[in-house]
Amino acid sequence: MPAFTFTTRLAASAAAAAVAVLGLTTTAASASSAEPVTQACTAVNSDTTVSEVSRPLNHLLLTVTNTGDAPCNAYYAPALRFDDAQAATPVLESSQPQAVVTLNPGESGYAGIRTSLPSGEGKNGHTATTLEVHFKDRADEDTNDWATLDLPGDGVYLDSTAAVTWWQYDLDDALSY
């Protein structure tokens, strides 16, 4: 009887290994035949929110969540327009990630918004109440689909030192600039 048990266990182990190998082979084959993601995340296929954070000071967190049924890319940095500003908020180029942020359905990406420097060295300070978030396509062009958001509370103080990061996978990375 012990020999039978050993043989049965050996056969079961071999079968499990074969299934695992077949599973890996199938996964590898389907992954290599997948088309690259080129669809941009926009207001049409994503939900965008802006929220206050306690740290770091004078920062907001912008979150984009893919609500579509296919992956999308959060290209570059969002182009931000506070209230009726004539120019987009400057981008912190040092925040550029190593790769494009690709979001599967249900996944979120993040951008940090610095509203002012704590040292108070900015100029032209004012309180903004709305934010337009414009998305970029693969060619760094506006997708012409944007989200208009109400800013937290009675508005947010901004000055000439305001800036935004590139899209990030991790919210801690977005808020580290």
Side-chain angles (χ1 to χ4, degrees), residues 53-106:
V53 294
S54 58
R55 295 270 186 238
L57 294 175
N58 305 335
H59 277 70
L60 298 171
L61 179 66
L62 191 61
T63 304
V64 62
T65 303
N66 181 347
T67 57
D69 52 6
C72 66
N73 287 330
Y75 289 110
Y76 303 97
L80 304 183
R81 182 177 179 211
F82 289 93
D83 289 341
D84 56 358
Q86 294 181 1
T89 303
V91 175
L92 293 166
E93 292 300 331
S94 61
S95 69
Q96 181 177 351
Q98 292 183 1
V100 172
V101 175
T102 300
L103 303 176
N104 288 314

Short mmCIF file of all heavy atoms in Angstrom, two decimals, residues 53-106:
data_model
loop_
_atom_site.label_atom_id
_atom_site.label_comp_id
_atom_site.label_asym_id
_atom_site.label_seq_id
_atom_site.Cartn_x
_atom_site.Cartn_y
_atom_site.Cartn_z
N VAL A 53 -4.82 67.19 0.98
CA VAL A 53 -4.01 66.26 1.75
C VAL A 53 -3.42 67.02 2.94
O VAL A 53 -3.20 68.23 2.87
CB VAL A 53 -2.88 65.62 0.89
CG1 VAL A 53 -3.46 64.74 -0.19
CG2 VAL A 53 -1.98 66.68 0.28
N SER A 54 -3.18 66.30 4.03
CA SER A 54 -2.62 66.97 5.21
C SER A 54 -1.12 67.20 5.06
O SER A 54 -0.57 68.15 5.61
CB SER A 54 -2.92 66.17 6.47
OG SER A 54 -2.39 64.87 6.37
N ARG A 55 -0.45 66.33 4.35
CA ARG A 55 0.99 66.45 4.11
C ARG A 55 1.27 66.07 2.68
O ARG A 55 0.67 65.13 2.18
CB ARG A 55 1.80 65.53 5.03
CG ARG A 55 1.69 65.88 6.48
CD ARG A 55 2.77 66.88 6.84
NE ARG A 55 2.76 67.10 8.27
CZ ARG A 55 2.59 68.30 8.81
NH1 ARG A 55 2.45 69.35 8.08
NH2 ARG A 55 2.58 68.43 10.10
N PRO A 56 2.14 66.73 2.00
CA PRO A 56 2.84 67.93 2.41
C PRO A 56 1.91 69.15 2.38
O PRO A 56 0.84 69.12 1.76
CB PRO A 56 3.95 68.07 1.38
CG PRO A 56 3.47 67.33 0.19
CD PRO A 56 2.54 66.27 0.68
N LEU A 57 2.34 70.20 3.06
CA LEU A 57 1.56 71.42 3.10
C LEU A 57 1.38 71.98 1.70
O LEU A 57 2.23 71.80 0.82
CB LEU A 57 2.28 72.47 3.96
CG LEU A 57 2.40 72.17 5.44
CD1 LEU A 57 3.23 73.23 6.13
CD2 LEU A 57 1.03 72.04 6.09
N ASN A 58 0.27 72.67 1.51
CA ASN A 58 0.00 73.37 0.25
C ASN A 58 -0.01 72.45 -0.97
O ASN A 58 0.51 72.81 -2.02
CB ASN A 58 0.99 74.52 0.04
CG ASN A 58 1.03 75.46 1.21
OD1 ASN A 58 0.06 75.57 1.96
ND2 ASN A 58 2.14 76.15 1.39
N HIS A 59 -0.59 71.28 -0.79
CA HIS A 59 -0.70 70.33 -1.89
C HIS A 59 -2.12 69.80 -2.02
O HIS A 59 -2.86 69.73 -1.04
CB HIS A 59 0.24 69.14 -1.68
CG HIS A 59 1.64 69.38 -2.12
ND1 HIS A 59 2.49 70.23 -1.47
CD2 HIS A 59 2.34 68.86 -3.15
CE1 HIS A 59 3.67 70.23 -2.08
NE2 HIS A 59 3.60 69.41 -3.11
N LEU A 60 -2.45 69.41 -3.24
CA LEU A 60 -3.69 68.70 -3.55
C LEU A 60 -3.30 67.39 -4.24
O LEU A 60 -2.22 67.29 -4.83
CB LEU A 60 -4.58 69.51 -4.50
CG LEU A 60 -5.08 70.86 -4.01
CD1 LEU A 60 -5.75 71.62 -5.16
CD2 LEU A 60 -6.06 70.68 -2.86
N LEU A 61 -4.20 66.42 -4.18
CA LEU A 61 -3.98 65.15 -4.88
C LEU A 61 -5.03 65.01 -5.96
O LEU A 61 -6.24 65.10 -5.69
CB LEU A 61 -4.08 63.97 -3.91
CG LEU A 61 -3.88 62.60 -4.55
CD1 LEU A 61 -2.46 62.44 -5.08
CD2 LEU A 61 -4.20 61.50 -3.54
N LEU A 62 -4.57 64.81 -7.19
CA LEU A 62 -5.45 64.58 -8.33
C LEU A 62 -5.44 63.08 -8.59
O LEU A 62 -4.37 62.48 -8.72
CB LEU A 62 -4.92 65.35 -9.53
CG LEU A 62 -5.80 65.46 -10.75
CD1 LEU A 62 -7.10 66.18 -10.42
CD2 LEU A 62 -5.06 66.21 -11.85
N THR A 63 -6.63 62.48 -8.66
CA THR A 63 -6.75 61.04 -8.89
C THR A 63 -7.56 60.80 -10.14
O THR A 63 -8.64 61.37 -10.30
CB THR A 63 -7.44 60.36 -7.69
OG1 THR A 63 -6.72 60.66 -6.49
CG2 THR A 63 -7.50 58.85 -7.87
N VAL A 64 -7.05 59.96 -11.04
CA VAL A 64 -7.80 59.54 -12.22
C VAL A 64 -8.00 58.03 -12.11
O VAL A 64 -7.05 57.30 -11.87
CB VAL A 64 -7.10 59.94 -13.53
CG1 VAL A 64 -5.73 59.30 -13.69
CG2 VAL A 64 -7.98 59.62 -14.73
N THR A 65 -9.24 57.57 -12.25
CA THR A 65 -9.57 56.16 -12.15
C THR A 65 -10.18 55.71 -13.48
O THR A 65 -11.16 56.32 -13.94
CB THR A 65 -10.55 55.89 -11.00
OG1 THR A 65 -9.96 56.37 -9.78
CG2 THR A 65 -10.85 54.41 -10.86
N ASN A 66 -9.63 54.67 -14.07
CA ASN A 66 -10.13 54.13 -15.33
C ASN A 66 -11.49 53.49 -15.08
O ASN A 66 -11.60 52.49 -14.39
CB ASN A 66 -9.14 53.12 -15.89
CG ASN A 66 -9.59 52.53 -17.22
OD1 ASN A 66 -10.72 52.69 -17.65
ND2 ASN A 66 -8.67 51.84 -17.88
N THR A 67 -12.56 54.06 -15.65
CA THR A 67 -13.91 53.52 -15.52
C THR A 67 -14.35 52.81 -16.79
O THR A 67 -15.48 52.34 -16.88
CB THR A 67 -14.92 54.64 -15.20
OG1 THR A 67 -14.86 55.64 -16.23
CG2 THR A 67 -14.64 55.26 -13.84
N GLY A 68 -13.45 52.74 -17.77
CA GLY A 68 -13.77 52.06 -19.03
C GLY A 68 -13.61 50.56 -18.91
O GLY A 68 -13.35 50.01 -17.83
N ASP A 69 -13.73 49.88 -20.03
CA ASP A 69 -13.57 48.43 -20.03
C ASP A 69 -12.30 47.98 -20.76
O ASP A 69 -12.14 46.82 -21.08
CB ASP A 69 -14.81 47.74 -20.61
CG ASP A 69 -15.21 48.28 -21.97
OD1 ASP A 69 -14.48 49.13 -22.52
OD2 ASP A 69 -16.27 47.87 -22.48
N ALA A 70 -11.40 48.92 -21.00
CA ALA A 70 -10.10 48.62 -21.61
C ALA A 70 -9.03 49.47 -20.92
O ALA A 70 -9.33 50.54 -20.38
CB ALA A 70 -10.14 48.95 -23.10
N PRO A 71 -7.78 49.02 -20.95
CA PRO A 71 -6.71 49.82 -20.35
C PRO A 71 -6.58 51.17 -21.05
O PRO A 71 -6.90 51.31 -22.23
CB PRO A 71 -5.45 48.97 -20.58
CG PRO A 71 -5.94 47.59 -20.81
CD PRO A 71 -7.28 47.74 -21.48
N CYS A 72 -6.11 52.17 -20.31
CA CYS A 72 -5.82 53.48 -20.89
C CYS A 72 -4.51 54.00 -20.30
O CYS A 72 -4.10 53.58 -19.23
CB CYS A 72 -6.96 54.46 -20.66
SG CYS A 72 -7.25 54.94 -18.94
N ASN A 73 -3.90 54.91 -21.03
CA ASN A 73 -2.63 55.50 -20.58
C ASN A 73 -2.86 56.92 -20.10
O ASN A 73 -3.49 57.73 -20.78
CB ASN A 73 -1.61 55.55 -21.73
CG ASN A 73 -1.05 54.18 -22.05
OD1 ASN A 73 -0.94 53.33 -21.18
ND2 ASN A 73 -0.71 53.97 -23.31
N ALA A 74 -2.34 57.21 -18.91
CA ALA A 74 -2.31 58.58 -18.40
C ALA A 74 -0.98 59.17 -18.88
O ALA A 74 0.05 59.00 -18.25
CB ALA A 74 -2.42 58.59 -16.89
N TYR A 75 -1.03 59.80 -20.05
CA TYR A 75 0.18 60.31 -20.68
C TYR A 75 0.63 61.63 -20.04
O TYR A 75 -0.18 62.47 -19.68
CB TYR A 75 -0.06 60.58 -22.17
CG TYR A 75 -0.21 59.35 -23.02
CD1 TYR A 75 -1.43 59.00 -23.57
CD2 TYR A 75 0.90 58.53 -23.29
CE1 TYR A 75 -1.56 57.88 -24.39
CE2 TYR A 75 0.78 57.41 -24.11
CZ TYR A 75 -0.45 57.10 -24.66
OH TYR A 75 -0.57 55.99 -25.46
N TYR A 76 1.93 61.80 -19.95
CA TYR A 76 2.57 63.05 -19.54
C TYR A 76 2.03 63.53 -18.19
O TYR A 76 1.83 62.77 -17.28
CB TYR A 76 2.43 64.11 -20.64
CG TYR A 76 3.01 63.64 -21.94
CD1 TYR A 76 2.19 63.08 -22.94
CD2 TYR A 76 4.37 63.71 -22.17
CE1 TYR A 76 2.73 62.62 -24.14
CE2 TYR A 76 4.93 63.25 -23.36
CZ TYR A 76 4.10 62.72 -24.34
OH TYR A 76 4.64 62.27 -25.51
N ALA A 77 1.80 64.83 -18.09
CA ALA A 77 1.21 65.45 -16.90
C ALA A 77 -0.12 66.04 -17.32
O ALA A 77 -0.29 66.46 -18.47
CB ALA A 77 2.12 66.55 -16.37
N PRO A 78 -1.07 66.11 -16.41
CA PRO A 78 -2.33 66.75 -16.78
C PRO A 78 -2.10 68.25 -16.98
O PRO A 78 -1.28 68.86 -16.30
CB PRO A 78 -3.23 66.49 -15.57
CG PRO A 78 -2.28 66.30 -14.42
CD PRO A 78 -1.05 65.66 -15.01
N ALA A 79 -2.81 68.84 -17.92
CA ALA A 79 -2.77 70.28 -18.10
C ALA A 79 -3.88 70.85 -17.22
O ALA A 79 -5.04 70.49 -17.37
CB ALA A 79 -2.99 70.66 -19.56
N LEU A 80 -3.50 71.70 -16.27
CA LEU A 80 -4.45 72.22 -15.30
C LEU A 80 -4.76 73.68 -15.57
O LEU A 80 -3.86 74.48 -15.87
CB LEU A 80 -3.88 72.10 -13.88
CG LEU A 80 -3.46 70.71 -13.42
CD1 LEU A 80 -2.98 70.77 -11.97
CD2 LEU A 80 -4.59 69.71 -13.58
N ARG A 81 -6.03 74.01 -15.43
CA ARG A 81 -6.48 75.40 -15.56
C ARG A 81 -7.36 75.71 -14.35
O ARG A 81 -8.45 75.16 -14.22
CB ARG A 81 -7.26 75.59 -16.85
CG ARG A 81 -7.71 77.00 -17.06
CD ARG A 81 -8.42 77.14 -18.39
NE ARG A 81 -8.86 78.51 -18.54
CZ ARG A 81 -9.94 78.86 -19.20
NH1 ARG A 81 -10.68 77.93 -19.78
NH2 ARG A 81 -10.29 80.11 -19.28
N PHE A 82 -6.86 76.57 -13.48
CA PHE A 82 -7.62 77.00 -12.31
C PHE A 82 -8.49 78.18 -12.70
O PHE A 82 -8.01 79.16 -13.30
CB PHE A 82 -6.68 77.39 -11.17
CG PHE A 82 -5.99 76.21 -10.55
CD1 PHE A 82 -4.74 75.79 -10.98
CD2 PHE A 82 -6.60 75.50 -9.52
CE1 PHE A 82 -4.10 74.72 -10.39
CE2 PHE A 82 -5.97 74.41 -8.93
CZ PHE A 82 -4.73 74.02 -9.37
N ASP A 83 -9.79 78.12 -12.36
CA ASP A 83 -10.75 79.16 -12.69
C ASP A 83 -10.61 79.54 -14.16
O ASP A 83 -10.69 78.68 -15.02
CB ASP A 83 -10.60 80.37 -11.76
CG ASP A 83 -11.08 80.07 -10.33
OD1 ASP A 83 -11.84 79.10 -10.15
OD2 ASP A 83 -10.69 80.82 -9.42
N ASP A 84 -10.38 80.81 -14.44
CA ASP A 84 -10.28 81.25 -15.84
C ASP A 84 -8.85 81.67 -16.19
O ASP A 84 -8.64 82.60 -16.96
CB ASP A 84 -11.27 82.37 -16.13
CG ASP A 84 -11.10 83.56 -15.20
OD1 ASP A 84 -10.24 83.48 -14.29
OD2 ASP A 84 -11.83 84.54 -15.37
N ALA A 85 -7.88 80.97 -15.63
CA ALA A 85 -6.46 81.28 -15.89
C ALA A 85 -6.18 81.24 -17.39
O ALA A 85 -6.77 80.45 -18.13
CB ALA A 85 -5.56 80.31 -15.15
N GLN A 86 -5.26 82.09 -17.82
CA GLN A 86 -4.92 82.14 -19.23
C GLN A 86 -3.89 81.11 -19.63
O GLN A 86 -3.76 80.79 -20.81
CB GLN A 86 -4.42 83.54 -19.58
CG GLN A 86 -5.49 84.58 -19.45
CD GLN A 86 -4.99 85.96 -19.84
OE1 GLN A 86 -3.84 86.14 -20.21
NE2 GLN A 86 -5.85 86.95 -19.73
N ALA A 87 -3.14 80.59 -18.66
CA ALA A 87 -2.08 79.62 -18.97
C ALA A 87 -2.23 78.40 -18.07
O ALA A 87 -2.76 78.48 -16.96
CB ALA A 87 -0.71 80.25 -18.77
N ALA A 88 -1.74 77.28 -18.58
CA ALA A 88 -1.76 76.04 -17.79
C ALA A 88 -0.74 76.13 -16.66
O ALA A 88 0.26 76.85 -16.75
CB ALA A 88 -1.45 74.85 -18.68
N THR A 89 -1.01 75.38 -15.60
CA THR A 89 -0.10 75.31 -14.46
C THR A 89 1.21 74.65 -14.90
O THR A 89 1.18 73.64 -15.61
CB THR A 89 -0.76 74.49 -13.33
OG1 THR A 89 -2.00 75.12 -13.01
CG2 THR A 89 0.12 74.41 -12.11
N PRO A 90 2.37 75.20 -14.51
CA PRO A 90 3.65 74.59 -14.90
C PRO A 90 3.77 73.15 -14.39
O PRO A 90 3.21 72.78 -13.36
CB PRO A 90 4.68 75.49 -14.22
CG PRO A 90 3.99 76.79 -14.01
CD PRO A 90 2.55 76.44 -13.75
N VAL A 91 4.55 72.36 -15.13
CA VAL A 91 4.79 70.95 -14.81
C VAL A 91 6.15 70.80 -14.16
O VAL A 91 7.13 71.39 -14.62
CB VAL A 91 4.71 70.09 -16.10
CG1 VAL A 91 5.08 68.64 -15.81
CG2 VAL A 91 3.33 70.19 -16.72
N LEU A 92 6.21 70.00 -13.10
CA LEU A 92 7.48 69.67 -12.45
C LEU A 92 8.14 68.56 -13.28
O LEU A 92 7.83 67.37 -13.12
CB LEU A 92 7.24 69.21 -11.01
CG LEU A 92 6.71 70.29 -10.08
CD1 LEU A 92 6.17 69.67 -8.79
CD2 LEU A 92 7.82 71.29 -9.78
N GLU A 93 9.02 68.94 -14.19
CA GLU A 93 9.63 67.97 -15.10
C GLU A 93 10.44 66.90 -14.37
O GLU A 93 10.59 65.79 -14.86
CB GLU A 93 10.50 68.69 -16.13
CG GLU A 93 9.70 69.53 -17.12
CD GLU A 93 8.69 68.75 -17.94
OE1 GLU A 93 8.89 67.55 -18.19
OE2 GLU A 93 7.67 69.34 -18.33
N SER A 94 10.94 67.22 -13.18
CA SER A 94 11.71 66.24 -12.41
C SER A 94 10.84 65.08 -11.94
O SER A 94 11.36 64.06 -11.47
CB SER A 94 12.39 66.90 -11.22
OG SER A 94 11.41 67.46 -10.35
N SER A 95 9.54 65.18 -12.07
CA SER A 95 8.62 64.11 -11.63
C SER A 95 8.32 63.09 -12.73
O SER A 95 7.54 62.18 -12.52
CB SER A 95 7.31 64.73 -11.13
OG SER A 95 6.57 65.30 -12.20
N GLN A 96 8.95 63.24 -13.90
CA GLN A 96 8.67 62.33 -15.00
C GLN A 96 9.00 60.89 -14.61
O GLN A 96 10.13 60.59 -14.23
CB GLN A 96 9.49 62.70 -16.23
CG GLN A 96 9.22 61.81 -17.42
CD GLN A 96 9.99 62.24 -18.66
OE1 GLN A 96 10.61 63.30 -18.69
NE2 GLN A 96 9.96 61.43 -19.69
N PRO A 97 8.01 59.96 -14.68
CA PRO A 97 8.27 58.56 -14.33
C PRO A 97 9.07 57.87 -15.44
O PRO A 97 9.23 58.41 -16.53
CB PRO A 97 6.87 57.96 -14.19
CG PRO A 97 6.02 58.80 -15.09
CD PRO A 97 6.62 60.18 -15.06
N GLN A 98 9.53 56.67 -15.15
CA GLN A 98 10.33 55.93 -16.13
C GLN A 98 9.48 55.36 -17.26
O GLN A 98 10.01 55.03 -18.31
CB GLN A 98 11.08 54.80 -15.43
CG GLN A 98 12.16 55.31 -14.51
CD GLN A 98 12.95 54.18 -13.89
OE1 GLN A 98 12.73 53.02 -14.15
NE2 GLN A 98 13.90 54.54 -13.04
N ALA A 99 8.18 55.24 -17.04
CA ALA A 99 7.30 54.67 -18.07
C ALA A 99 5.95 55.36 -18.00
O ALA A 99 5.58 55.96 -16.99
CB ALA A 99 7.14 53.17 -17.84
N VAL A 100 5.21 55.24 -19.08
CA VAL A 100 3.85 55.78 -19.13
C VAL A 100 2.99 55.03 -18.11
O VAL A 100 3.14 53.82 -17.92
CB VAL A 100 3.25 55.58 -20.54
CG1 VAL A 100 1.78 55.94 -20.57
CG2 VAL A 100 4.02 56.40 -21.56
N VAL A 101 2.11 55.74 -17.45
CA VAL A 101 1.22 55.15 -16.45
C VAL A 101 0.03 54.53 -17.17
O VAL A 101 -0.82 55.24 -17.71
CB VAL A 101 0.77 56.20 -15.42
CG1 VAL A 101 -0.26 55.62 -14.45
CG2 VAL A 101 1.98 56.74 -14.66
N THR A 102 0.00 53.19 -17.22
CA THR A 102 -1.09 52.45 -17.85
C THR A 102 -2.03 51.96 -16.77
O THR A 102 -1.61 51.30 -15.83
CB THR A 102 -0.54 51.26 -18.66
OG1 THR A 102 0.35 51.74 -19.66
CG2 THR A 102 -1.68 50.48 -19.32
N LEU A 103 -3.32 52.30 -16.93
CA LEU A 103 -4.32 51.94 -15.94
C LEU A 103 -5.29 50.92 -16.51
O LEU A 103 -5.96 51.19 -17.52
CB LEU A 103 -5.10 53.18 -15.50
CG LEU A 103 -4.27 54.32 -14.92
CD1 LEU A 103 -5.15 55.52 -14.63
CD2 LEU A 103 -3.53 53.87 -13.69
N ASN A 104 -5.36 49.77 -15.88
CA ASN A 104 -6.37 48.78 -16.24
C ASN A 104 -7.71 49.25 -15.68
O ASN A 104 -7.75 50.11 -14.80
CB ASN A 104 -6.00 47.41 -15.67
CG ASN A 104 -4.84 46.80 -16.40
OD1 ASN A 104 -4.79 46.80 -17.62
ND2 ASN A 104 -3.87 46.30 -15.66
N PRO A 105 -8.83 48.72 -16.18
CA PRO A 105 -10.12 49.12 -15.64
C PRO A 105 -10.14 49.01 -14.11
O PRO A 105 -9.70 48.01 -13.54
CB PRO A 105 -11.09 48.14 -16.29
CG PRO A 105 -10.43 47.82 -17.60
CD PRO A 105 -8.96 47.76 -17.28
N GLY A 106 -10.60 50.07 -13.46
CA GLY A 106 -10.68 50.10 -11.99
C GLY A 106 -9.43 50.61 -11.31
O GLY A 106 -9.47 50.92 -10.12
#
